Amino acid sequence: MAVRSPVLLVLGAALLTASLAGCSGITEASRPTINRYAAVNITARTSGPGQARGTATVIFFDALSVQAPSSVLQQTDECVFSAVDTLVTPTVGQNRAGSTIGFTAGSTSLQLAYSDTLRRYATPAGQPFTYSTGDQARVTIPGAADVFPAQSISIKLAEPLVPGPVAAPLSGQPYTVTWNGTNDPTAAIILSIKYANPATASYANEQIYCALRDDGSHTSPATGLTGFLGSPANRRSVTLTRWRTTEAQPDARTLLHVATSVDTTVVVP
């Protein structure tokens, strides 16, 4: 298991939430010649069998170059040890491209209103939408002169996750985490195995952080589990995040990027 600092996957100053923090440059693609960007971030949490509850944000900004996360590029398995970042940073945009943004997820249709404070479009606070396995999202941008052209784009929403048993292994044994893998090359998984190290830490401050194929299984070697096994059970957890990206390039200087993710967390007894 490699031990190095993870690379945060960002598109602009604040595109993706911490659930899409990555651990390798293999998920990034530089865009040095484009300077108008739209970033759509759809985040959800598994809420029941085949069901998820989510929110969406849309930001527009200008930049000379960015690093865009790509689920298609994350089709190899790689893990690191890293500290757990508990800082929550709101997604803040720069430009306005219409009064509202049209958004559809499954059977739910919304108009995302613009916030002058955060300079972004978002689903109403406290009003998440619900979708099912197989549903798609569609984003419709009305556009604004010299800001961003009118554009529509669709993406298959990240399928709700069903983790397998997560009980800790015996000392000296590897640890296998399983889930309902899609084997879809457009999807990828982020696995976070959190624990307190040292055991006296007041919260889960360390993690084994993995970027994985969505094939339904990953095994961590026994040699990397010392901190995890030494942690109190009430500070051990497994978080699985499935994510998928797509993009459109309306013209030579414009990029529309969409990321959808869904996660679930299980305490490890």
Side-chain angles (χ1 to χ4, degrees):
M1 179 179 296
V3 182
R4 53 191 171 125
S5 298
V7 177
L8 184 64
L9 298 181
V10 293
L11 179 55
L15 165 60
L16 299 181
T17 61
S19 65
L20 284 187
C23 63
S24 173
I26 61 172
T27 59
E28 299 168 1
S30 180
R31 304 285 182 174
T33 61
I34 300 173
N35 57 28
R36 299 192 304 190
Y37 297 91
V40 181
N41 191 23
I42 305 165
T43 60
R45 179 153 293 176
T46 300
S47 58
Q51 298 285 314
R53 187 173 291 117
T55 60
T57 59
V58 184
I59 61 173
F60 298 87
F61 61 95
D62 301 325
L64 293 178
S65 66
V66 298
Q67 291 181 310
S70 170
S71 58
V72 175
L73 295 181
Q74 189 194 291
Q75 297 302 315
T76 57
D77 293 352
E78 185 175 359
C79 296
V80 298
F81 292 109
S82 76
V84 173
D85 185 1
T86 59
L87 180 65
V88 177
T89 304
T91 303
V92 179
Q94 182 184 55
N95 300 325
R96 183 170 179 166
S99 57
T100 60
I101 300 294
F103 179 77
T104 301
S107 60
T108 301
S109 294
L110 302 168
Q111 291 293 317
L112 308 186
Y114 184 76
S115 165
D116 289 315
T117 303
L118 295 174
R119 300 188 298 279
R120 72 180 189 187
Y121 301 83
T123 46
Q127 299 181 39
F129 57 85
T130 301
Y131 70 87
S132 303
T133 298
D135 282 347
Q136 289 199 340
R138 185 167 184 82
V139 180
T140 303
I141 299 167
D146 300 323
V147 175
F148 205 88
Q151 185 75 20
S152 291
I153 192 169
S154 296
I155 189 170
K156 184 180 181 181
L157 289 159
E159 296 86 347
L161 280 154
V162 180
V166 297
L170 297 175
S171 179
Q173 297 297 310
Y175 186 38
T176 299
V177 176
T178 60
W179 64 93
N180 58 327
T182 65
N183 290 304
D184 182 343
T186 70
I189 291 289
I190 290 173
L191 167 66
S192 173
I193 303 173
K194 297 179 182 178
Y195 50 91
N197 187 23
T200 54
S202 60
Y203 70 101
N205 61 330
E206 191 171 281
Q207 62 185 327
I208 301 171
Y209 197 88
C210 302
L212 308 171
R213 297 182 300 274
D214 191 6
D215 57 9
S217 178
H218 176 74
T219 299
S220 297
T223 53
L225 299 175
T226 303
F228 172 67
L229 294 176
S231 172
N234 64 355
R235 290 193 280 280
R236 295 191 306 219
S237 66
V238 166
T239 297
L240 287 159
T241 302
R242 175 177 286 127
W243 63 293
R244 180 179 284 114
T245 59
T246 191
E247 63 185 38
Q249 190 173 337
D251 56 53
R253 59 185 291 257
T254 306
L255 180 69
L256 169 58
H257 185 277
V258 185
T260 169
S261 66
V262 62
D263 66 62
T264 190
T265 298
V266 184
V267 174
V268 179

